[in-house]
Amino acid sequence: MTTLKKIPAAEFEIMKVIWKNTPPITTSMLMEQLGKEKKWRAQTLISLLSRLVEREFLSTEKNGKERTYFPLVSKEEYLKYETSNFMERFHENSFLSLVNTLYEGKKLSNKELEKLSEWIKKRGE
């Protein structure tokens, strides 16, 4: 597999749907799950899928008139990649910096802080 690269938001939306489904997934299935929400035309979806194939996030096969797609990158792999980049770029790889930013921005509730504290205690054992 090639080195992962950041994908644009629209392509990430497609990947989220693909990851939620059992492979393979067809263009029709994607259109049904994304089309109403995004109001994309079929050609738009096909273009975005082609880019994901070029970037080696998906493989594709033609079955009759329908194309099927298979993920080559798991959700976990991509989230790990994105999170790592985010931590490095914005927080100099400091988990404390990230948590402090979330806390100061009122993004963490007391309950979440308690869960985080429990998580840290378990990791320290």
Side-chain angles (χ1 to χ4, degrees):
M1 191 183 80
T2 58
T3 306
L4 285 181
K5 292 186 176 147
K6 183 174 179 64
I7 55 175
E11 291 173 28
F12 183 66
E13 290 300 315
I14 292 169
M15 289 304 298
K16 286 193 315 189
V17 171
I18 288 171
W19 289 323
K20 284 180 190 173
N21 288 275
T22 304
I25 188 166
T26 64
T27 311
S28 302
M29 292 165 66
L30 285 165
M31 212 45 212
E32 185 179 311
Q33 293 179 41
L34 277 170
K36 295 170 193 154
E37 177 186 330
K38 298 291 176 192
K39 295 186 171 49
W40 286 343
R41 293 183 0 256
Q43 193 53 49
T44 302
L45 179 60
I46 291 166
S47 293
L48 293 169
L49 287 165
S50 293
R51 288 185 202 153
L52 285 165
V53 170
E54 285 172 23
R55 289 187 171 104
E56 298 181 1
F57 275 77
L58 298 174
S59 66
T60 185
E61 293 176 2
K62 185 135 173 127
N63 293 329
K65 292 183 178 184
E66 188 76 82
R67 280 214 162 268
T68 55
Y69 295 90
F70 302 84
L72 296 175
V73 175
S74 72
K75 181 179 180 181
E76 293 74 23
E77 283 177 280
Y78 190 70
L79 292 180
K80 185 177 177 183
Y81 163 79
E82 279 281 20
T83 302
S84 177
N85 278 352
F86 176 81
M87 287 293 293
E88 186 177 318
R89 185 170 173 207
F90 294 104
H91 295 283
E92 298 174 352
N93 285 325
S94 169
F95 183 69
L96 188 56
S97 171
L98 172 66
V99 172
N100 191 49
T101 300
L102 293 170
Y103 181 75
E104 294 297 324
K106 307 283 189 262
K107 299 291 184 194
L108 288 176
S109 67
N110 286 336
K111 187 176 183 177
E112 287 174 313
L113 283 172
E114 287 172 23
K115 285 182 180 180
L116 179 59
S117 179
E118 289 172 23
W119 182 85
I120 290 169
K121 284 177 189 170
K122 285 181 186 175
R123 297 297 184 274
E125 294 174 354

